[in-house]
Amino acid sequence: MSLEEKIISTFKQKNSKLAEVFNQAFELFEQKGFPTKKNEDWKYTSLKKLLKTDYSLVTEINNNIEAKDVEPFFIGADTYKVVLVDGFYNADLSHVDTDKITISSMQDAIENNAELVEKHFAKVADNNQEMVALNTISFNDGVFVNIPNNVILDKPIEVINIATGVLGDTLIQPRNLIVVGKNADAKLIERHQNISENTILTNSVTEISVGENAYYYHYKIQNDTEVSNLVDNTFVDQNRYSNAYVDTFAFGGNVTRNNLSFLLNGENAVANLDGISLLNKNQHVDNFTFVDHRVPNCDSNELYKGIYDDKSKGVFTGKVMIRKDAQNTKGDQQNNNILLSENAQINAKPQMEIYADDVKAAHGCTIGQLDDDALFFMRQRCIPLKEAKAMLMYAFASEALKNVKVEELKTQINKQIAQKLGVNIEFGV
Amino acid sequence: MLKLKNIKASVEDKDILKGLNLEIKPGEIHAIMGPNGAGKSTLSSVIAGKEKFSVDAGEIEFEGEVINDLAPEERAHKGIFMSFQHPIEIPGVTTTNFVKAAVNAKRVAEGKEELTPGEMLRLIKEKSALLELDRKFLSRSLNEGFSGGEKKRNEIFQMAMLEPKLAILDETDSGLDIDALRIVANGVNMLRSPERSAIVITHYQRLLDYIVPDFVHVLYDGRIVKTGGKELALELEEKGYDWIKEEIDNK
Ligand SMILES: Nc1ncnc2c1ncn2[C@@H]1O[C@H](COP(=O)(O)OP(=O)(O)OP(=O)(O)O)[C@@H](O)[C@H]1O
Ligand SMILES: [Mg+2]
């Protein structure tokens, strides 16, 4: 039985509260299956090899994880802590003692927050995308966050997704919903971590609604093990005067595909997308970004930096749609890359579709190497080659850290970069 | 301290140094003058180990050891410092972080402990005051948007931080006003000692009023063609290089 057949037969009978959405997604997935390279949007990332693995599907909660297993993956700051284990919300390991906001399991929210869930669930996420439809029909659980109007959250939320591998190679599909109210301000850090040797494929869907005049920051730390694969589908719906930030830091993992969509539905909203991909060996990271300017007077700013060594491969697609009504749009997109090896690759594609006439849209894409003259200069000043290279790479990439507003997170990211580059340098100090 | 024996060097199949000999003893200061394109900067780069230049013949001996095959950082660790004619800008790395990394890398190579942040700060304060470098510069990206003169002062600041045995100053005086020139010369003179030496490359004898050389050499067409005392610099500035070129070309 193929994975597709297995999923379809396992979830066909699922009695869902969200029957309509479920049925529609089911039909689509049954018809289309997994995306293939024939799909233009998946031209540079093939799931074929990944799908040869016979993944177990998670159907029940596994409670064998202890706090000490999760501890190392937090940033080491005072935060609200959420732990998902194989896609299930784990209340014992989560620490969210506050009554100002709601943080709960998605299952709980479907039961007890039905109104909000109904309003947002599968509304921003595009169920016509195969991987989203797949998640819709087969997710078990996830995290639900509701930040009420006017709440300035006192500390960030950390969401750690643990993959246990207890079922062997596993397909994990968290489904998250984050609702940020009017005038609210919140920050969330999301991380995926496989604590086993087994192959993991995570297909996660996160829907985020950012209310009027709200600020929302979402940081993704993708620094998983070599047998871990991730398809991350994140959709951000922005209302008037809202500011949303999504930062994607891809250092680890095997194959990673980030489908990141911003839907600008309210005027004067600002969308910010930053990313650093720092890859080596056979790693593959595909950042597929989409910004949909639907209304006038919105800005979008996109900065992705990539450094590729060995046989690693990066893909960047910057799709920006500026619709007919979206007058006075400002769109800026920069994608800068460094190739450190002859066998490393980057496919970069800005894709601007502009139907409005009063628009300021700029995009730039560069591919370069480390500057030999700068390296010689640094070595002349006693700095060994490896460290000199690392310093130049950090200098190149760190511009994309500009929206990291949590000090401990920045320190953590700097450490991870140093570790990845194999140097003992305290970056950013 | 430094012995160059019949050095031939090229870049991209173009011969630049064509059999160059030079010996520098501890404590000595040697000035090198010569027309544009003679090979002065190439000589500096060859001593400092820039890999773009290929040393096709001859030996570079530093403190009795042949260093032809050493990496630039290894030479720097041994105490060779070169102030660049055109200092490099490094966006994203602050001057402070850069000198910290440089000083600690040298200390580690020498088997010493890294400086504590407090010690480092004191050292940076002391040396930057010497070069009258504003704190603002220290927290900015290395050389980015610095004026020509500021870049040169930054070079000498780094030299003061690293306290090299052999300093090669490649046109450090070019583009400096007289005040900046005094500051830079002062920075160099502070390091003078019987154990330290310097090569001062310049087009202007003015600098040599402040940094008084023991020898003045003329580099022309990849070779040292004339050597004299400090009065040679005056003569060169007055008469230019044509008389030397004639002397050589007539030989
Ligand atoms: N990277 C290079 N590629 C090709 N030619 C080079 C390179 N670097 C230097 N040269 C050539 O080598 C010769 C010597 O250059 P060098 O910079 O050493 O001269 P210089 O004596 O320092 O001159 P100046 O007084 O103008 O600084 C010149 O003809 C120059 O064009
Ligand atoms: Mg020169």
Side-chain angles (χ1 to χ4, degrees):
Chain A
M1 197 167 32
S2 77
L3 185 59
E4 272 159 43
E5 289 161 350
K6 188 155 131 188
I7 290 164
I8 288 166
S9 65
T10 307
F11 294 101
K12 193 158 196 164
Q13 303 311 320
K14 191 166 165 176
N15 174 22
S16 175
K17 281 222 157 195
L18 304 149
E20 201 182 319
V21 178
F22 177 87
N23 290 336
Q24 180 207 342
F26 197 94
E27 227 168 79
L28 184 122
F29 189 75
E30 204 173 21
Q31 186 197 338
K32 287 202 191 167
F34 286 98
T36 65
K37 286 188 135 188
K38 279 190 210 123
N39 180 339
E40 183 65 24
D41 290 351
W42 287 81
K43 198 167 160 193
Y44 299 108
T45 298
S46 170
L47 296 177
K48 209 166 157 189
K49 220 163 124 195
L50 290 184
L51 295 174
K52 284 193 179 133
T53 302
D54 183 24
Y55 297 100
S56 301
L57 304 175
V58 189
T59 48
E60 56 192 50
I61 300 177
N62 156 30
N63 278 327
N64 291 325
I65 298 302
E66 293 171 38
K68 69 168 176 25
D69 302 322
V70 188
E71 192 54 42
F73 308 115
F74 291 114
I75 59 166
D78 185 15
T79 56
Y80 297 111
K81 293 180 171 63
V82 173
V83 178
L84 302 182
V85 177
D86 294 337
F88 281 96
Y89 186 93
N90 186 311
D92 293 338
L93 298 174
S94 301
H95 300 281
V96 289
D97 43 328
T98 168
D99 47 14
K100 274 188 272 167
I101 60 173
T102 307
I103 299 181
S104 75
S105 79
M106 194 67 189
Q107 287 300 358
D108 185 290
I110 291 170
E111 295 296 329
N112 302 319
N113 252 314
E115 207 176 308
L116 258 185
V117 171
E118 217 144 284
K119 187 171 168 202
H120 295 285
F121 186 88
K123 293 295 185 294
V124 230
D126 180 1
N127 256 328
N128 289 315
Q129 294 177 16
E130 298 91 329
M131 298 308 284
V132 176
L134 168 64
N135 179 287
T136 302
I137 63 176
S138 51
F139 77 91
N140 292 306
D141 198 4
V143 62
F144 168 77
V145 178
N146 181 32
I147 318 277
N149 294 347
N150 305 313
V151 170
I152 312 292
L153 201 55
D154 55 342
K155 48 191 184 184
I157 302 166
E158 277 189 275
V159 179
I160 309 275
N161 291 268
I162 296 287
T164 63
V166 290
L167 301 173
D169 302 336
T170 313
L171 173 65
I172 298 173
Q173 304 198 75
R175 177 72 172 224
N176 311 310
L177 177 59
I178 296 155
V179 181
V180 183
K182 213 169 156 179
N183 299 320
D185 187 315
K187 301 181 179 71
L188 187 146
I189 299 154
E190 175 191 4
R191 183 166 182 176
H192 295 264
Q193 194 64 46
N194 177 3
I195 57 168
S196 77
E197 307 283 306
N198 293 320
T199 300
I200 300 295
L201 173 57
T202 299
N203 176 43
S204 125
V205 172
T206 303
E207 293 182 89
I208 302 164
S209 169
V210 187
E212 184 177 336
N213 203 35
Y215 273 79
Y216 178 70
Y217 301 83
H218 191 121
Y219 305 106
K220 293 172 182 288
I221 303 180
Q222 301 176 344
N223 197 6
D224 213 342
T225 66
E226 284 178 26
V227 290
S228 308
N229 307 283
L230 173 66
V231 179
D232 176 314
N233 308 278
T234 297
F235 296 84
V236 186
D237 164 33
Q238 285 193 248
N239 293 294
R240 316 172 50 207
Y241 288 101
S242 67
N243 283 267
Y245 300 79
V246 176
D247 286 15
T248 306
F249 302 114
F251 306 146
N254 177 34
V255 174
T256 303
R257 160 81 173 207
N258 290 303
N259 291 319
L260 176 57
S261 298
F262 278 74
L263 312 175
L264 295 165
N265 286 317
E267 288 191 36
N268 297 100
V270 183
N272 301 281
L273 302 77
D274 290 295
I276 299 175
S277 297
L278 188 53
L279 311 184
N280 62 3
K281 299 187 185 163
N282 281 307
Q283 287 185 282
H284 177 112
V285 171
D286 181 346
N287 282 307
F288 189 94
T289 67
F290 175 47
V291 180
D292 192 351
H293 283 268
R294 297 173 161 181
V295 295
N297 302 320
C298 291
D299 294 0
S300 61
N301 306 302
E302 203 166 345
L303 178 65
Y304 277 81
K305 301 269 188 173
I307 300 175
Y308 308 96
D309 202 354
D310 303 328
K311 288 182 182 163
S312 65
K313 188 171 166 188
V315 185
F316 173 78
T317 303
K319 202 167 158 180
V320 179
M321 168 87 85
I322 303 177
R323 294 181 193 262
K324 197 158 160 278
D325 290 338
Q327 297 300 352
N328 195 26
T329 288
K330 280 211 245 26
D332 185 45
Q333 179 183 99
Q334 299 298 328
N335 171 231
N336 307 315
N337 303 286
I338 288 180
L339 294 178
L340 296 175
S341 122
E342 278 180 16
N343 298 318
Q345 261 190 67
I346 167 77
N347 288 299
K349 193 165 85 171
Q351 205 179 318
M352 299 247 172
E353 291 180 41
I354 304 178
Y355 302 103
D357 38 50
D358 180 15
V359 163
K360 278 201 195 97
H363 65 84
C365 174
T366 60
I367 300 173
Q369 274 94 33
L370 292 178
D371 179 359
D372 279 337
D373 287 332
L375 283 176
F376 172 63
F377 182 79
M378 299 173 88
R379 297 170 81 188
Q380 204 313 293
R381 297 298 139 86
C382 298
I383 300 170
L385 181 58
K386 193 171 182 185
E387 277 74 14
K389 283 183 174 175
M391 284 174 77
L392 286 185
M393 287 188 249
Y394 182 77
F396 165 81
S398 58
E399 202 188 339
L401 295 174
K402 63 181 185 298
N403 290 320
V404 179
K405 310 278 188 192
V406 181
E407 238 5 86
E408 293 90 342
L409 174 64
K410 199 177 243 176
T411 305
Q412 176 64 234
I413 291 168
N414 287 339
K415 268 190 201 154
Q416 292 187 15
I417 292 175
Q419 196 172 30
K420 179 84 185 192
L421 298 176
V423 293
N424 183 19
I425 300 177
E426 262 183 73
F427 285 124
V429 183
Chain B
M1 170 164 292
L2 180 77
K3 271 189 200 154
L4 302 177
K5 298 182 204 158
N6 194 29
I7 299 291
K8 294 180 180 164
S10 59
V11 59
E12 289 156 13
D13 291 329
K14 183 179 176 206
D15 293 325
I16 301 175
L17 300 184
K18 301 171 180 174
L20 187 143
N21 294 288
L22 183 66
E23 179 170 359
I24 296 174
K25 298 207 170 72
E28 290 179 352
I29 292 198
H30 291 237
I32 297 183
M33 302 179 81
N36 294 122
K40 302 182 296 297
S41 294
T42 302
L43 172 63
S44 314
S45 294
V46 161
I47 298 170
K50 187 164 183 169
E51 281 147 354
K52 199 151 130 198
F53 294 94
S54 123
V55 177
D56 307 317
E59 280 183 352
I60 310 164
E61 204 182 288
F62 185 69
E63 297 195 306
E65 184 190 348
V66 176
I67 59 167
N68 287 43
D69 294 331
L70 293 192
E73 59 269 39
E74 292 171 310
R75 299 181 197 204
H77 295 158
K78 288 187 182 300
I80 295 176
F81 178 94
M82 162 183 163
S83 167
F84 283 54
Q85 183 175 355
H86 305 289
I88 306 289
E89 298 186 4
I90 307 187
V93 179
T94 64
T95 303
T96 302
N97 280 346
F98 183 71
V99 292
K100 277 184 193 168
V103 168
N104 279 333
K106 187 168 189 209
R107 294 183 66 89
V108 168
E110 288 167 345
K112 295 183 193 154
E113 292 267 308
E114 291 191 355
L115 291 184
T116 65
E119 290 169 331
M120 185 68 81
L121 201 66
R122 244 169 285 138
L123 191 64
I124 290 175
K125 264 197 183 150
E126 179 199 330
K127 303 295 183 185
S128 59
L130 189 70
L131 273 305
E132 297 181 25
L133 266 185
D134 209 304
R135 290 183 65 130
K136 276 194 310 248
F137 288 112
L138 299 177
S139 56
R140 270 167 52 184
S141 282
L142 189 80
N143 291 332
E144 199 180 32
F146 286 25
S147 73
E150 288 160 357
K151 286 180 184 172
K152 297 295 173 77
R153 263 193 286 160
N154 197 355
E155 290 287 274
I156 300 307
F157 162 60
Q158 290 165 45
M159 181 184 85
M161 291 291 294
L162 290 167
E163 304 193 330
K165 288 181 190 155
L166 173 67
I168 307 165
L169 309 181
D170 190 356
E171 294 200 26
T172 302
D173 56 328
S174 299
L176 292 187
D177 62 31
I178 193 69
D179 293 328
L181 185 76
R182 276 202 203 103
I183 293 168
V184 160
N186 185 34
V188 174
N189 287 330
M190 294 285 283
L191 277 185
R192 280 195 86 158
S193 82
E195 295 83 44
R196 286 189 228 277
S197 314
I199 298 174
V200 181
I201 295 170
T202 181
H203 287 291
Y204 311 105
Q205 91 85 30
R206 184 181 71 154
L207 174 71
L208 305 178
D209 289 339
Y210 297 94
I211 306 173
V212 183
D214 300 294
F215 300 95
V216 175
H217 308 278
V218 178
L219 182 60
Y220 172 63
D221 193 23
R223 266 180 288 253
I224 292 199
V225 295
K226 200 172 185 69
T227 295
K230 63 175 191 281
E231 62 295 338
L232 178 57
L234 266 175
E235 195 178 355
L236 289 168
E237 187 153 290
E238 251 165 51
K239 300 205 284 186
Y241 295 102
D242 286 349
W243 61 283
I244 291 182
K245 288 182 191 171
E246 263 164 45
E247 254 181 50
I248 306 302
D249 298 340
N250 288 340
K251 262 184 201 165

